[in-house]
Amino acid sequence: MQKKDLSVQVHPSDEYAREHEGDNGKTEMWYVIDADEGANLIYGFQHEVTEKILRKAVETGTLDKHLQKVKVHKGDTYFVPAGTVHGIGKGILVAEIQESSNVTYRVYDYDRVDKNGKKRELHFDKAVQVMDMNVELDVRQKPRMVKYYSGCSRELLCRCKYFETERIQVTKGFAFSVMDSSFQILMCLNGYGEVQTMDAEQKPMRFSKGETLFLPAGLGRCLVVGDAEMIKVRC
């Protein structure tokens, strides 16, 4: 659980990052595992802004008044495409699924200083080149259809060209395949269980609440047995 607000950030697109940073851009999503009453996150702007307005706000420490605050609740999902100004507030625990990238432009850090009295570096000049200044009023992902199977249910949370994320409720068993093209990830939100494979020499992979399993590409047919609520990520 976050004990303080994280800095306000933005990530570039793939095209910009590859040209200027030699890296991928970053599109991500957040699944809210838990949240304190009244906790909020930052998602874009609450009204139209310009570079001039933002630069002055950063210089005077008043950027916060331009940012859109969104109250969050346990179980919410947010898709955060590259270019979206964002920040995770205190009192929130999220599972963050993202494109593989090390590029982050820090826009604002609430004028905080370290133990030596120094502020962290901001990257405003780059950030303003990649950020989306349009106002997004309806940012929470809509509930997707839940499909029920014998022993489990599956709900699509988010799908984009980089990843697909589902929430899986296992009551008895859940079967799926990990193909040669990519790995998958299982994150246990509640409960416990194990992953069995078709390989007789592969021991079952046990898991419980708070644990994450990395399933390598080419693992093949898998069976989750147990009583658990899980996040499954396929890239």
Side-chain angles (χ1 to χ4, degrees), residues 211-229:
E211 295 183 325
T212 298
L213 296 181
F214 176 85
L215 307 179
L219 188 60
R221 192 70 171 168
C222 297
L223 176 66
V224 176
V225 179
D227 185 358
E229 180 184 9

Side-chain angles (χ1 to χ4, degrees), residues 84-145:
T84 305
V85 172
H86 62 275
I88 300 173
K90 63 182 179 181
I92 303 174
L93 177 64
V94 303
E96 182 174 296
I97 292 88
Q98 64 181 47
E99 208 178 336
S100 179
S101 172
N102 291 314
V103 184
T104 296
Y105 298 147
R106 192 178 299 115
V107 182
Y108 186 59
D109 198 31
Y110 303 97
D111 291 327
R112 291 180 290 216
V113 296
D114 62 19
K115 62 182 180 181
N116 298 314
K118 293 184 178 181
K119 296 180 182 179
R120 290 202 293 177
E121 180 185 4
L122 300 181
H123 314 98
F124 183 83
D125 290 335
K126 287 185 175 180
V128 78
Q129 295 182 56
V130 303
M131 68 174 61
D132 182 356
M133 297 187 189
N134 294 317
V135 178
E136 296 286 346
L137 296 177
D138 192 11
V139 300
R140 187 179 290 110
Q141 290 288 98
K142 302 296 187 297
R144 306 294 182 95
M145 180 181 295

